[in-house]
Amino acid sequence: MTPVHHASPRAVTMDPASLGERLYCATLRLLPARFRAEAGPEMLAVFRDWRAAARDRRFGDLRVWWLALRDLATCIRTERLRSSPALPRIQDQAPMIEILFKDCRYALRGLRRAPGFTAIVVLTLALGIGANTAIFSVVDGILLRALPFEDPDELVAVWADTTRRGGPLREWLSYPNFHDVRQLDDVFAEVGAYLGWGATLTGTGDAVSLGGLRVSEGMFNRVLGVQPALGRGFAAGDDLPDTERVVLLSWSLWQQQWQGDPSILGKSIALSGEPTVVIGVMPATFQPPFRPQAQMWTTLRMDASQHAGSRGEAMYHAIGRLQPGVALAAAQSASNTLGSTLEQEYPSANLGMGYTLRPLRSDIVDGTSSTLWVLLGAVGFVLLMACVNVANLLLAQATSRVGEIALRSAVGASRAAITRQLLAESVVLATTGGALGALLGVFATRALIRLAPPGTPRLAEVTVDARVLAFTATVTLLAAFAFGLIPALRASRGDLAAALSEVGRNADGSSGRRLRAGLVVVQVALAMVLLVGAGLLLRTFQQMNTVDLGFEPGGVLAMQLGLPSSRYADQADRVAFYGELERRLATLPGVDAVGGVDTLPLGGSDGDAHFQIEGRQEPARDQERIAWIRRMTPGYPETIGLRLVSGRFFEASDDVEATRAAVINQTLASTYFEGQEPVGQRLYFGRADNEPLYLTIVGVVGDIKNFGVTQESRNAIYLAYGQMPTGFMSMVLRTSGDPLSLAAPARAVVADLDHLLAAANISTVDDVVRQSLASERFTTILMSAFAAVALTLAAIGLYGVVSYAVNMRSHEIGVRMALGADRQNVGRLVIGGSMGLVGAGVVLGTVGAWGATRVLAGLLYETEPTDPLTFLTVMAVLLLSGVIAATLPANRASRIDPVHVLSRS
Amino acid sequence: MTSNKPADMLPLRPVVFGILTVLRQAPLHGYGIMQRANDHVGHRALLGPGTLYRTLKELRADGMIEHAEAPAGTDARRHYYQLTPFGDDVAVAEAQRLGRLIDTAELASQQAG
């Protein structure tokens, strides 16, 4: 009986602080429990000091790790042996752990003898495993991990479903519609709403433009279940229209603007001129699921009774928390019932509209998930290719070691022992490759985060943590078996006598050659699939970059301004402000044209409207004519490069005194005025029997991309800013010089005009276009990188096989040359053989790519998944690489000296 | 404790001699011992945390070192170690043994030269 230890071996606590220390602690678990309990905490402390001391030295951390791991290996071995003294030390019954160590030590010695081989294998694996670690950490952080909120599975996104009247499936809610769904307290514990908010902070140095959100009072504490780190959260009274304005700061804003000074709590700050009390600071880790870059939050300050009339104004996003135990389906059906009731009660706003609920996590990551899965699939292919490559190398190596293995079994090594030994080699290779890969993965993950398109959801949650490392470890072990098992089994099966007699000549049996050739064919096929995938994405990206945007982005600077309604309540004030701003900006040196628009091109939706055409039947309410609305100043078309098709642009005379004017786009003109002259006709908003607002069409302009470069053209109506002003505008400035050089002077003009205002999002319009393609660029770069790695691996694999075949066949080639074959013939023979393999791979790869690229269909634009040009180009690239990879061995073959070869045998 | 005569402990492994030499100067905590012992050996670190604690355990079992009180103002959670009188004797005996060895070696090379 073993004595029972009452003190738990983990009684002495270790508190690893960093990932490195956690890793070290994990390795300590290999030590016997008793020793670990005694020495573990102090070893960790020493390790910590050691790393701290080495931090400033070049490769210091790496050196410490290397020495620490070596030290641990010694320690683990001796302590393990000591703790199992009862076992006899007879070879066959030696403790498993000792056999393992022996095998590994032997394997290490063997691998050290072939440093080139080892380096290639380890690097290949590290590349494959590192790339997989990085992509998996991104997939895990964004798609797999639960949202960082209380009971995240209870959270649902609540949208208006307007598909029945031809609108989107995920439309925002109006305040009354939000208010009504919030009353469903059988199924919802709480529903919260939010909408975007921007304000200028003044009184703390330069005026700063800040982005944030207005949220309903229950959003943080009752829906998400998060509390501020400092101060208090929103309370019921904060949400009412006439109470004091309050704001919660993000941790980073608090650090930037107030250097983390807690005395700011309870103080009043000026946001767009409004005194607002800082009531709290959210935790540094708090990342709201929507608009992660928000810097501050305030309340909606809404009263349901005051908004009875605004049921048609959809502007709120809503998130609900289900009651515990309530299924999504039950909540959906309750919402459906509510939807139909509201439809009957308020047909003018709600006809053809219902509610749709979606699990919050998938709702947030929806746009990103297909891209990420494709990337994970592609990077999995790369690892598969790396494994095939390594298997191929091991096979070749095993063949050249056939003599050694035969000798070992002749002196009594069992088949199991030899298999185990060879497997140990692949485990050592895989572990080294895996460790290096994990390291590579950490850096690659950081690079990916930096490269990721802006607005990627949950990016802050992406880290290389224990989950990711567990994934890497699993992948590594699987890889070790994948590439190690076949060579190990084959080598141990060898026929002793045959092997010994064959040494030095054609040691590789014909089945071995076939196996290796087969692996190369598979590799070429895999590379083909990846290359075709990357090729299709490149074509897509190229198509997107050559799309006619409908405007000229080059040489234009844009900046955003928001006039607070408290100080610019009057429409005339806003018109006056922007008129004066435009005039002053135009006088800046280098400025060729100035204009303003409420939403920049590619800026997405900023409201649509139902419109009617004078003299035509008004459509049924669920078949409204819908157009996007843009307001612009007279200078805007020239500045942004909008094309005039007929009629005229707006002029300064289109002001409140004049007839309301409208400019429509070509899509609207051709949809509703086919064969007619639209200029001079009248449109109106609303209904003829209910105070319609008439607009006279004065011009038709070309279509521009408002949503994204791949968007289909939609109806658009431009309004004259002088007649329908709003507080938020983007000013654009065209120059023949560098647009960014105008940023500082333009900012100064704004400050001069109103020192409480600050321009936001100052950038070139070229950048706006680039940003809109950021996601496609990200996918294309990664896929191209993977494809390049795949191509390299395939070429290396092919080179290895052909070059090996030349060595093995040198005798045969010598005989051929002795019999009169000339050098060109021999070279052709070798290259021809390699082209046979590439050809087979290309055929197989074409079939594979034909099927596999269909998963890309959703990511492609103006490119078919079976685009023949891409397929042909990739085939040509592969065949060319095949020729290049075979040229070196072919040259060698053609220089074989028949006399030398034949005399040797 | 297996022996109480210093001579019975000799020869010492280099790691053990290194640790004893370092501790003769002052009581130290684990990392301090490791760092100084490695400095003594030269540029290559021979001693890692695992080997260090294994050796410290042996030395304690042999009665050559013992826990010491942490000096005032230092991190009290760290264990400090100091030499026992016996450990000091062993270190001196090993130093003398090595000294004699060096003398012999020098003599031999003079005779050879």
Side-chain angles (χ1 to χ4, degrees):
Chain A
M1 282 285 281
T2 13
V4 179
H5 292 284
H6 288 285
S8 146
R10 299 179 65 188
V12 188
T13 53
M14 296 194 247
D15 52 347
S18 65
L19 177 69
E21 288 173 24
R22 280 208 297 278
L23 267 177
Y24 189 73
C25 282
T27 340
L28 288 183
R29 304 207 133 256
L30 293 171
L31 286 164
R34 188 125 58 113
F35 184 79
R36 189 172 73 235
E38 267 175 27
E42 292 204 53
M43 284 173 69
L44 178 65
V46 169
F47 177 70
R48 186 179 298 155
D49 290 342
W50 200 7
R51 277 181 79 196
R55 188 163 303 144
D56 297 332
R57 267 189 286 163
R58 253 179 90 200
F59 304 120
D61 211 28
L62 219 61
R63 211 175 92 91
V64 168
W65 266 109
W66 164 244
L67 293 172
L69 287 179
R70 229 178 46 173
D71 166 66
L72 262 174
T74 326
C75 205
I76 289 165
R77 204 178 56 214
T78 37
E79 285 301 319
R80 281 266 167 210
L81 287 181
R82 182 177 302 177
S83 68
S84 53
L87 287 170
R89 297 296 172 84
I90 302 164
Q91 181 62 43
D92 284 351
Q93 290 164 23
M96 194 57 205
I97 187 92
E98 197 179 352
I99 298 185
L100 225 122
F101 267 114
K102 233 186 90 199
D103 279 344
C104 288
R105 211 170 45 227
Y106 189 81
L108 268 175
R109 210 185 306 149
L111 294 174
R112 210 179 296 167
R113 270 202 305 268
F117 167 82
T118 310
I120 288 180
V121 170
V122 166
L123 279 180
T124 307
L125 286 174
L127 259 183
I129 291 173
N132 272 273
T133 304
I135 297 287
F136 178 77
S137 69
V138 174
V139 168
D140 184 51
I142 294 180
L143 299 184
L144 302 181
R145 211 171 309 175
L147 292 172
F149 304 113
E150 216 175 276
D151 299 322
D153 292 336
E154 292 173 1
L155 295 174
V156 291
V158 183
W159 296 98
D161 172 2
T162 57
T163 44
R164 274 185 291 134
R165 65 182 192 205
L169 173 66
R170 293 155 70 190
E171 176 61 281
W172 305 332
L173 300 181
S174 64
Y175 191 81
N177 284 342
F178 154 65
H179 187 74
D180 290 335
V181 77
R182 196 183 193 177
Q183 309 304 317
L184 293 179
D185 41 20
D186 309 347
V187 290
F188 290 114
E190 171 71 340
V191 182
Y194 67 93
L195 82 165
W197 171 49
T200 309
L201 170 70
T202 47
T204 58
D206 287 341
V208 202
S209 167
L210 299 174
L213 290 172
R214 295 178 184 282
V215 300
S216 64
E217 162 266 321
M219 181 60 117
F220 287 172
N221 49 6
R222 293 201 299 283
V223 179
L224 300 179
V226 288
Q227 302 298 334
L230 257 77
R232 66 170 179 94
F234 296 127
D238 296 333
D239 218 359
L240 296 174
D242 299 318
T243 49
E244 190 176 49
R245 287 170 200 271
V246 292
V247 66
L248 280 173
L249 306 178
S250 75
W251 188 271
S252 61
L253 179 65
W254 181 49
Q255 294 295 336
Q256 277 163 28
Q257 289 294 327
W258 293 280
Q259 290 74 43
D261 176 9
S263 71
I264 187 68
L265 286 184
K267 289 206 181 127
S268 184
I269 57 174
L271 289 174
S272 294
E274 298 283 356
T276 310
V277 175
V278 177
I279 58 167
V281 178
M282 293 305 282
T285 51
F286 175 60
Q287 286 272 341
F290 32 79
R291 188 109 34 134
Q293 62 277 36
Q295 295 164 293
M296 55 183 185
W297 302 272
T298 188
T299 52
L300 295 176
R301 296 163 63 83
M302 279 290 191
D303 190 345
S305 59
Q306 291 181 359
H307 280 77
S310 60
R311 202 163 275 276
E313 281 177 27
M315 52 198 285
Y316 294 91
H317 296 248
I319 295 177
R321 175 175 289 280
L322 299 176
Q323 289 280 12
V326 169
L328 184 64
Q332 179 68 62
S333 102
S335 312
N336 289 347
T337 314
L338 173 67
S340 349
T341 314
L342 293 177
E343 225 175 320
Q344 284 161 13
E345 242 173 276
Y346 308 101
S348 66
N350 278 33
L351 198 70
M353 199 193 89
Y355 290 102
T356 179
L357 308 183
R358 298 157 50 92
L360 184 60
R361 187 173 63 177
S362 47
D363 194 70
I364 292 171
V365 300
D366 219 25
T368 319
S369 64
S370 57
T371 309
L372 284 179
W373 288 123
V374 164
L375 288 177
L376 189 65
V379 84
F381 261 56
V382 171
L383 182 62
L384 199 59
M385 288 200 58
C387 286
V388 172
N389 233 6
V390 172
N392 220 333
L393 282 166
L394 282 180
L395 269 176
Q397 196 221 21
T399 317
S400 65
R401 281 171 59 184
V402 85
E404 173 207 328
I405 289 164
L407 258 173
R408 292 187 61 201
S409 62
V411 297
S414 68
R415 194 178 152 185
I418 292 178
T419 311
R420 208 181 51 225
Q421 175 56 47
L422 290 174
L423 263 184
E425 279 177 23
S426 42
V427 169
V428 167
L429 284 172
T431 320
T432 322
L436 204 61
L439 204 67
L440 211 70
V442 171
F443 291 109
T445 304
R446 283 186 205 155
L448 279 183
I449 293 175
R450 222 163 302 147
L451 199 70
T456 304
R458 308 187 69 189
L459 208 55
E461 293 170 53
V462 173
T463 49
V464 177
D465 60 4
R467 273 167 72 106
V468 175
L469 289 178
F471 169 85
T472 307
T474 315
V475 164
T476 305
L477 278 180
L478 284 179
F481 280 96
F483 67 68
L485 203 58
I486 302 175
L489 285 178
R490 276 186 52 83
S492 66
R493 195 186 54 194
D495 171 1
L496 188 63
L500 283 175
S501 68
E502 261 189 289
V503 174
R505 203 181 292 176
N506 201 350
D508 198 357
S510 64
S511 75
R513 261 205 308 265
R514 270 204 304 277
L515 184 60
R516 298 194 57 207
L519 286 179
V520 165
V521 171
V522 170
Q523 267 192 320
V524 173
L526 286 175
M528 167 109 188
V529 174
L530 276 180
L531 281 169
V532 167
L536 290 174
L537 289 175
L538 275 171
R539 288 270 293 167
T540 293
F541 194 59
Q542 185 195 11
Q543 298 282 9
M544 288 179 174
N545 272 310
T546 51
V547 160
D548 178 13
L549 297 168
F551 61 95
E552 318 271 327
V556 183
L557 184 80
M559 61 181 188
Q560 257 174 19
L561 283 171
L563 300 180
S565 47
S566 53
R567 292 189 295 119
Y568 292 87
D570 227 10
Q571 302 217 331
D573 293 341
R574 301 177 184 178
V575 175
F577 174 85
Y578 282 114
E580 179 63 18
L581 179 62
E582 212 174 41
R583 216 176 35 254
R584 292 202 194 175
L585 288 174
T587 62
L588 287 178
V591 171
D592 298 337
V594 179
V597 68
D598 56 353
T599 307
L600 285 175
L602 301 170
S605 138
D606 203 37
D608 56 335
H610 301 163
F611 69 95
Q612 320 294 349
I613 300 163
E614 192 185 31
R616 297 200 197 171
Q617 175 82 44
E618 288 182 3
R621 290 211 181 262
D622 52 357
Q623 288 159 5
E624 296 277 10
R625 304 179 179 112
I626 298 178
W628 304 103
I629 304 300
R630 287 283 185 275
R631 298 155 213 251
M632 61 182 184
T633 65
Y636 178 69
E638 186 201 340
T639 316
I640 202 76
L642 201 58
R643 281 189 296 266
L644 185 66
V645 177
S646 67
R648 64 171 177 87
F649 291 129
F650 295 128
E651 287 158 6
S653 58
D654 291 313
D655 56 15
V656 274
E657 308 292 321
T659 326
R660 297 291 160 100
V663 166
I664 60 173
N665 72 348
Q666 243 173 328
T667 302
L668 199 154
S670 58
T671 315
Y672 294 106
F673 299 98
E674 184 76 63
Q676 302 175 35
E677 177 50 62
V679 174
Q681 304 220 36
R682 292 214 298 173
L683 306 173
Y684 59 97
F685 295 128
R687 295 270 160 175
D689 54 9
N690 185 17
E691 298 176 33
L693 174 65
Y694 282 97
L695 304 159
T696 305
I697 300 174
V698 297
V700 179
V701 296
D703 292 331
I704 64 172
K705 300 288 186 185
N706 271 328
F707 281 78
V709 295
T710 61
Q711 160 238 327
E712 300 275 317
S713 232
R714 303 188 205 180
N715 300 326
I717 300 175
Y718 294 88
L719 306 177
Y721 184 77
Q723 297 177 334
M724 318 269 278
T726 149
F728 279 92
M729 288 288 274
S730 287
M731 300 304 293
V732 286
L733 291 82
R734 179 171 287 281
T735 174
S736 44
D738 173 15
L740 282 177
S741 66
L742 293 176
R747 226 193 290 251
V749 168
V750 172
D752 202 32
L753 206 53
D754 181 341
H755 71 283
L756 294 179
L757 279 184
N761 298 335
I762 301 187
S763 71
T764 65
V765 175
D766 263 334
D767 266 340
V768 173
V769 176
R770 247 195 303 280
Q771 293 283 329
S772 76
L773 287 175
S775 158
E776 286 80 6
R777 182 176 303 111
F778 179 67
T779 320
T780 309
I781 289 177
L782 284 187
M783 274 296 272
S784 309
F786 297 158
V789 173
L791 184 63
T792 316
L793 288 177
I796 291 176
L798 187 68
Y799 168 79
V801 167
V802 174
S803 138
Y804 185 76
V806 167
N807 281 350
M808 286 300 143
R809 288 168 71 188
S810 55
H811 183 76
E812 174 206 329
I813 292 171
V815 171
R816 276 173 192 264
M817 289 177 89
L819 292 177
D822 63 13
R823 290 178 193 285
Q824 270 144 16
N825 278 339
V826 169
R828 264 204 295 278
L829 184 76
V830 172
I831 290 184
S834 108
M835 291 325 280
L837 296 181
V838 176
V842 164
V843 171
L844 199 65
T846 308
V847 177
W850 205 270
T853 49
R854 267 154 230 279
V855 305
L856 285 179
L859 301 179
L860 300 182
Y861 172 68
E862 304 257 302
T863 310
E864 287 298 310
T866 54
D867 179 47
L869 182 65
T870 307
F871 271 74
L872 287 175
T873 315
V874 168
M875 285 179 197
V877 167
L878 277 171
L879 291 173
L880 191 68
S881 323
V883 173
I884 294 171
T887 306
L888 223 65
N891 266 342
R892 205 163 58 227
S894 64
R895 276 200 301 271
I896 284 175
D897 177 0
V899 180
H900 182 73
V901 169
L902 293 178
S903 70
R904 207 176 55 192
S905 59
Chain B
M1 217 166 290
T2 51
S3 161
N4 44 20
K5 270 183 22 211
D8 294 346
M9 307 302 297
L10 308 185
L12 296 179
R13 280 180 289 134
V15 168
V16 171
F17 186 56
I19 292 176
L20 292 184
T21 311
V22 167
L23 284 180
R24 281 196 84 190
Q25 293 156 12
L28 269 176
H29 57 76
Y31 176 66
I33 300 176
M34 184 178 106
Q35 197 188 19
R36 295 201 194 169
N38 285 338
D39 283 349
H40 280 299
V41 185
H43 70 286
R44 258 189 83 179
L46 291 180
L47 205 53
T51 320
L52 174 74
Y53 278 99
R54 236 158 24 85
T55 318
L56 289 179
K57 202 173 113 184
E58 285 170 17
L59 292 178
R60 263 180 35 223
D62 288 337
M64 290 195 259
I65 63 169
E66 61 194 6
H67 279 307
E69 255 180 50
T74 60
D75 186 352
R77 283 174 307 176
R78 283 184 177 157
H79 282 162
Y80 273 71
Y81 298 88
Q82 65 188 17
L83 285 190
T84 60
F86 175 65
D88 196 62
D89 290 347
V90 173
V92 171
E94 174 72 351
Q96 286 168 347
R97 185 186 70 84
L98 288 175
R100 282 197 300 276
L101 204 62
I102 289 169
D103 289 346
T104 317
E106 277 176 354
L107 203 65
S109 59
Q110 277 167 18
Q111 285 169 352

